[in-house]
Amino acid sequence: PQVVERCVAAAGYSVGEFAALVFAGALGFAEALYAVKVRAEAMQKASEAVPSGMLSVVGRREANYKFACLEARKHCESLGIENPVCTVSNYLFPDSRVIAGHLQALEFLQENARKYYFKRAKMLPVSGAFHTRLMEPAVEPLAEVLKSIEIQKPLLCVYSNVDGKKYMHSKHIQKLLVKQVVSPVLWEQTMHSVYERKQGTEFPYTYEVGPGNQLGAILKQCNLKAWKQYKHVDALEDEEAAET
C-alpha cells in the first residue's frame, strides 16, 4: 500500500497502457476491460485481412532499420504487392527493434539479415503487424468505444506509447489510445523520459507488475542505474499466498 501511495508515474507497454491508466484513476477497470476486448477483436480482424507479422531484431551499431525496411518494401513491390508495409513498430532498447509488416517483407529481412547488420532476426508468435497502418480497420471500433467511456485526468503521470510524453487530459488520452493502434510503441524513448533527471539525483523504485520481466530486461539495457532499483511483482503472488 505504501508503494502505491508514493507512486509518481506509470507506463504500460502496448495494451498495458490501459492497465497504467486504470492504475492512475483515468479509466474504470470494467470500461477499460471492455475497450481492450473491442480493440483485440478489431485488431484480430485486421490481422486476418493481410498475411502479416512482427520480426524481433537485434542489430549491430551499423544497422540502418529504415533502409532495411525500404528495401523490404521494394522487394514486396517486385512481387506485385501494392502499398506494402514494413516499418519499425516497437523501439525496445538501443540496437533492438521490432519490425512489422507484410510477411514477405519480414521473410526478406530474415534471409538478408547479415546484409543489414542484424545479429538476430526472429519472427514473433503473433498473427498481425500491430502498431502499423495495417491496423487501420481497428481504429474506428476503438474510437467509438472510447467516446462512450468516461475518462478522467490521471491522478499521477502516465506516459504515452505514441510520443513518450505525459498525458495531459482526458481528450488527450482518448485521442492517443486510438493513435497507438497504428503508431510505433516508443518504449525506449519513454524510458528516457521517465528516468531523465539531474546528475546525482536518486532514481525511483520501479515495479513491473504482471507475468514475465521483459520490461525489466529492457530497462536494464536503457538505464542500468534505474534498473538497480527495479523489482518484479507477479500478479499471481497474492492469489497463491491467499490460497495457501
Side-chain angles (χ1 to χ4, degrees), residues 48-70:
E48 288 163 8
V50 178
S52 57
M54 302 180 89
L55 185 73
S56 175
V57 174
V58 176
R60 300 187 190 281
R61 286 273 166 88
E62 308 94 314
N64 183 331
Y65 303 97
K66 278 188 178 177
F67 177 68
C69 289
L70 174 68

Side-chain angles (χ1 to χ4, degrees), residues 32-104:
L33 213 53
Y34 178 61
V36 165
K37 177 179 181 285
V38 170
R39 177 184 183 272
E41 287 169 353
M43 287 170 82
Q44 180 59 35
K45 200 172 173 185
S47 299
E48 288 163 8
V50 178
S52 57
M54 302 180 89
L55 185 73
S56 175
V57 174
V58 176
R60 300 187 190 281
R61 286 273 166 88
E62 308 94 314
N64 183 331
Y65 303 97
K66 278 188 178 177
F67 177 68
C69 289
L70 174 68
E71 294 224 317
R73 289 196 298 272
K74 283 181 180 172
H75 168 72
C76 285
E77 284 168 356
S78 75
L79 299 176
I81 298 168
E82 288 183 27
N83 296 321
V85 172
C86 183
T87 185
V88 174
S89 62
N90 303 68
Y91 291 80
L92 302 179
F93 54 85
D95 304 322
S96 180
R97 306 277 185 271
V98 175
I99 294 173
H102 281 80
L103 273 184
Q104 296 90 331

Side-chain angles (χ1 to χ4, degrees), residues 147 151 168-177:
K147 276 180 202 167
I151 303 174
M168 306 306 289
H169 47 75
S170 56
K171 283 277 181 216
H172 193 211
I173 293 169
Q174 186 182 329
K175 182 184 170 187
L176 291 191
L177 278 181

Side-chain angles (χ1 to χ4, degrees), residues 1-38:
Q2 301 95 307
V3 169
V4 173
E5 280 170 31
R6 288 203 305 265
C7 187
V8 292
Y13 186 93
S14 190
V15 72
E17 197 159 284
F18 284 85
L21 287 163
V22 170
F23 175 75
L27 294 175
F29 178 70
E31 290 89 346
L33 213 53
Y34 178 61
V36 165
K37 177 179 181 285
V38 170

Side-chain angles (χ1 to χ4, degrees), residues 184-240:
V185 173
L186 304 186
W187 193 255
E188 181 186 340
Q189 295 85 331
T190 301
M191 291 296 91
H192 295 318
S193 294
V194 172
Y195 297 104
E196 188 179 27
R197 58 221 332 103
K198 287 176 186 169
Q199 210 167 357
T201 311
E202 282 191 18
F203 284 95
Y205 287 98
T206 298
Y207 296 89
E208 179 177 0
V209 183
N213 52 8
Q214 293 93 329
L215 299 183
I218 292 172
L219 177 59
K220 188 177 183 181
Q221 298 290 337
C222 289
N223 191 322
L224 187 59
K225 285 183 179 175
W227 174 79
K228 286 175 181 173
Q229 303 276 51
Y230 160 89
K231 287 180 184 175
H232 173 244
V233 181
D234 196 307
L236 299 175
E237 276 177 12
D238 288 347
E239 288 173 33
E240 285 168 2

